[in-house]
Each structure stands twice: as structure tokens, then as C-alpha cells.
Amino acid sequence: AALFCLPIFLLLRMAGGPVAGAIYPMRALVADLAAFVCSWAGFALASLPLAEAMGRRALWPRFIAAWNWVNLVQYVALALLSLPELLGLPGMVADTLALLGLGYAMWLQWFATRLALGLSGSRAAAFVALDLGISLFLSGLAARFALG
């Protein structure tokens, strides 16, 4: 699924990335690609000990498969709900739709995690928080690298 998500990721980053309004520099592209790969693989690796600590190691392969393909749905939803901003709609409308997209993506991951691992809602939220934390950290790191 990562190969299907990569073009969507790059389009979203180029539209609102670290150097918005400028030509997307090669340095930013390399940083974003590295962050994408490290985030995708990093969460998969970091989620294994968390699943094991919760007594769900045997269900982890099923969870990773579900998480992998849920990411594609998340990327498509985020891209569609970001279109108004890219098309120049008023800030309030575009921001609301982007926020709805983010909320839906997080809910979808929480729901898939809860089902795939057979966890309570709060335990599934720990996986969502881990994924979000890794993504935000690496995205911020990539942005800092891109700006020099």
C-alpha cells in the first residue's frame, strides 16, 4: 500500500510542504521521502513490542496487514478533503474539511486497530498515538532539514 500512498503523500507535501509557494526543492523531496519510508517502517517495527506488551503478538501480522491497507484509505480521504484548500476555497471551509479528514483518518486507524488486535478503545488509541507521534516527529525533522 505504501507504493500507492507515496504519490498522494508527495502531492500533499508539495502543495503545503515546508516551502509553500516556492518550487519544491530537491532537499525537501529527499527529506520527505526519507520521512515517509522511516515513518511507515518505523511504526510497523515499533508496534510489535507494543502488541506484545498487550498480549497480542499472535495477532500482530493481521494488524499490520489491516493497518497497511487502512493507510491507503486514509491517504485518499485526506487528499479528497484537502482539495478545497488546493482549489483556493475560503480558509474556514478548507480548514474544516481538512480537520474532518484528519479526524476520520485517526478514527479509521483506531477502529481497524481495535478490531484487528481485539483491544479496548483506549488500548487501540495507544497505537494511533504511537503512529501519530512517529509521523509528526519525522515530518518535523524533514521540514527542518528541508529548510536548511
Side-chain angles (χ1 to χ4, degrees), residues 61-147:
R62 179 174 76 170
F63 160 69
I64 284 300
W67 170 81
N68 186 54
W69 290 104
V70 160
N71 268 300
L72 180 59
V73 176
Q74 289 174 316
Y75 272 88
V76 169
L78 288 171
L80 289 175
L81 291 171
S82 294
L83 279 178
E85 181 180 355
L86 300 176
L87 297 174
L89 282 178
M92 181 77 151
V93 173
D95 291 346
T96 300
L97 289 174
L99 187 59
L100 284 173
L102 182 61
Y104 174 72
M106 291 175 63
W107 173 84
L108 186 60
Q109 184 176 354
W110 171 83
F111 183 75
T113 301
R114 195 170 60 82
L115 288 179
L117 291 174
L119 295 173
S120 67
S122 60
R123 287 181 154 212
F127 284 86
V128 176
L130 176 65
D131 191 15
L132 186 60
I134 291 170
S135 296
L136 288 174
F137 172 75
L138 290 172
S139 180
L141 197 60
R144 288 184 59 101
F145 179 77
L147 294 174

Side-chain angles (χ1 to χ4, degrees), residues 39-62:
S39 179
W40 203 286
F43 174 73
L45 292 172
S47 67
L48 180 58
L50 185 57
E52 190 168 8
M54 293 184 184
R56 300 294 198 266
R57 182 177 172 82
L59 297 174
W60 183 82
R62 179 174 76 170

